[in-house]
Amino acid sequence: MIDDDQAVLTLFSTALKKHGYDIVTAPDGKSGIEKAKTEKPDMILLDQVLPDIQGNEVLTTLKQDDATKSIPVAMLSNFGQTELVQKAINSGATDYILKYQIEPDELDTKIRDIVRIAQSQAGSEQPF
Amino acid sequence: MFVPILLLTAALIFSIAIFFYFVLNRKRGGQVLPQGKKLFPRLSHHEELKLISVISSLSDGLIVVDNKLNPWIVNTAARSFLGLTRENPNFYDIASPFPRNLNLAEKVKDAINYNRTTTLHEVQLGDRTFQVFIASIGDRNMTHFATKEGLYSLGASILLQDISTEKSLEKMKEDFAHVIIHELRAPVAAIKNSASLLIAGGISDDEKKKILEIIHTQSEKLLTQISYFLDAGRLEEGKLILNKTQGDIAKVVKEGVDLFLPEAKRKRITLTAEIGNDLPFFYFDNNRIVEAVNNLLSNSLKYTNDFGIVKITADTDDNYNATGSGNVVISVSDNGVGIPRQKQGLLFTKFSQVQKEVSAETQKASSGLGLYITKGIIEAHGGHISVNSTEGKGTIVTFTLPINSQADDASIQQVTSSSRPVN
């Protein structure tokens, strides 16, 4: 989970730990990219507004790197404008989660859906 | 309001021109003036110069073409907007900078042939945005010449009104709205999610404690943000209230440094204070000046990288030392990232500050109202605030506070603060 908001990190981590997740957190884009490469998580929750690099740029970097491009990424945001959602999806995000709408206990289901969608997309792109 | 006046001015100028052209030169009917001749042959040289001077000095771009699309008048502003360098540009030169899909030539022909007026909204020419008005010019009623053969137009006018500033302000306001949404939504979302987790249960006591702490800090954050927005609103209306009491400015500075030492330590920033000896006690709004000092320290720490230096100094100015009445001068300096030169002048303005901070989805959102409110507080005290910054090297923000031995006429003041940029 890449987010500089400590409250979000704590709350979402607490909710996910209940469901048995191992969570690695990073407070900015740079360390987030590094941890994505070293930890190779099953999926990434990425805040759109980060202190060093824009969330969309982090997303593009992750999607261009062979080591991280297959990891599904869901953007986290407090902005719900259509153009921002579209931009994130176009940059390779699997989903766009509004922090103020999602209930912490819904995160587990949401993440499972995202991983499943990403896996099916990856499968459909495999050459026959 | 501005646009109708300009259009009216343009219409008036053409009325005069057409009057002399049509009434005094009637035999020539709808013919246009040959290139190189006097524009207004029946006007005296002096009158013609005056008229041309008025047209030239219009801040809006004005182009007049005859009914064969030959440029008749291209004023200075239009030349500049369109980047025209040739002395006698042709219609192609004029139309080229316009986006092709606008079909400028067709619209001008429609004005000439069918007396059709067109307004093109938000036309992008280079990095500027324009509103473009195309209208026919003709007889005294600004329509067409009546001849035996029918109605006959002299040509058409194209008025270019630069609306870049309005557009940019609009963008800043949008960004500001996004910031308000973010700043209020983030803590409320955190509080809501905290409550959800507590209701759902299944978490340890330690986790519960952390969640309760989040509720507390996010509530405080929310209250602070609401105060900021209210203060910004009060400043705008000129209703920031000061409660002046005799206070100790040295103590304010010392406490400010103490407050930010943990954060400085966390970033391994050297935070120091240099406070002059014998700083006088004088009347100021203690809470507001604490807010101003804290805002400046917070900003410096935020925009200074790890292992940097932030310093606050406070002393009386030379005037006070010589006459006993002067100012306390407080400076907060850092060797942080600095502010780009083009943004410095707008640093303390409400929307520009927001623009610097936000661009909605791009940078770290914060209300950005801190400096705007700080400036309001300082000016409400009769002081002055300024910034000196070099990108990549650091920033010094300095403000003055008049040393008042009394709380003015009343201890509560109603003040008006300007939002003009600081130089």
Side-chain angles (χ1 to χ4, degrees), chain A residues 6 17 25 31 70 93-94 124:
Chain A
Q6 194 55 48
K17 275 177 191 166
T25 61
S31 61
S70 60
T94 308
S124 67

Side-chain angles (χ1 to χ4, degrees), chain B residues 314-374:
Chain B
D315 212 341
T316 49
D317 65 2
D318 292 343
N319 206 22
Y320 178 78
N321 299 335
T323 65
S325 81
N327 299 289
V328 162
V329 183
I330 295 176
S331 286
V332 177
S333 60
D334 62 62
N335 62 352
V337 295
I339 305 153
R341 194 178 175 80
Q342 65 271 22
K343 289 187 176 175
Q344 288 178 23
L346 294 164
L347 187 63
F348 294 90
T349 58
K350 185 174 164 189
F351 295 128
S352 298
Q353 171 65 0
V354 166
Q355 188 188 38
K356 181 180 86 66
E357 296 273 325
V358 187
S359 245
E361 86 285 20
T362 55
Q363 296 187 29
K364 184 65 212 165
S366 85
S367 73
L369 289 170
L371 284 179
Y372 172 72
I373 292 166
T374 300

Side-chain angles (χ1 to χ4, degrees), chain B residues 242-245 283 404 406-415:
Chain B
L242 293 184
N243 295 304
K244 288 186 181 180
T245 52
Y283 280 87
N404 297 316
Q406 293 174 15
D408 305 321
D409 295 334
S411 62
I412 297 176
Q413 288 188 325
Q414 182 164 318
V415 293

Side-chain angles (χ1 to χ4, degrees), chain B residues 21-87:
Chain B
Y21 182 82
F22 179 66
V23 176
L24 304 178
N25 200 20
R26 195 173 185 117
K27 282 181 186 170
R28 297 175 65 176
Q31 287 179 346
V32 295
L33 287 163
Q35 297 256 334
K37 292 250 174 146
K38 278 186 74 182
L39 284 179
F40 312 108
R42 296 287 176 166
L43 290 182
S44 72
H45 182 59
H46 178 68
E47 285 167 330
E48 188 183 60
L49 282 180
K50 271 206 300 190
L51 190 55
I52 291 171
S53 169
V54 170
I55 294 170
S56 297
S57 62
L58 287 174
S59 58
D60 284 356
L62 187 61
I63 299 155
V64 181
V65 295
D66 67 20
N67 50 17
K68 303 221 170 20
L69 298 185
N70 295 313
W72 187 23
I73 295 168
V74 183
N75 79 347
T76 315
R79 280 179 176 278
S80 162
F81 294 155
L82 298 171
L84 300 174
T85 48
R86 285 174 57 180
E87 194 182 343

Side-chain angles (χ1 to χ4, degrees), chain A residues 4 18 49 78 81 103 105, chain B residues 178 185 196 200-201 363-364:
Chain A
D4 65 319
K18 274 169 60 178
V49 185
N78 271 317
Q81 292 99 319
E103 287 288 336
D105 276 346
Chain B
H178 290 158
R185 235 176 213 168
S196 298
Q363 296 187 29
K364 184 65 212 165

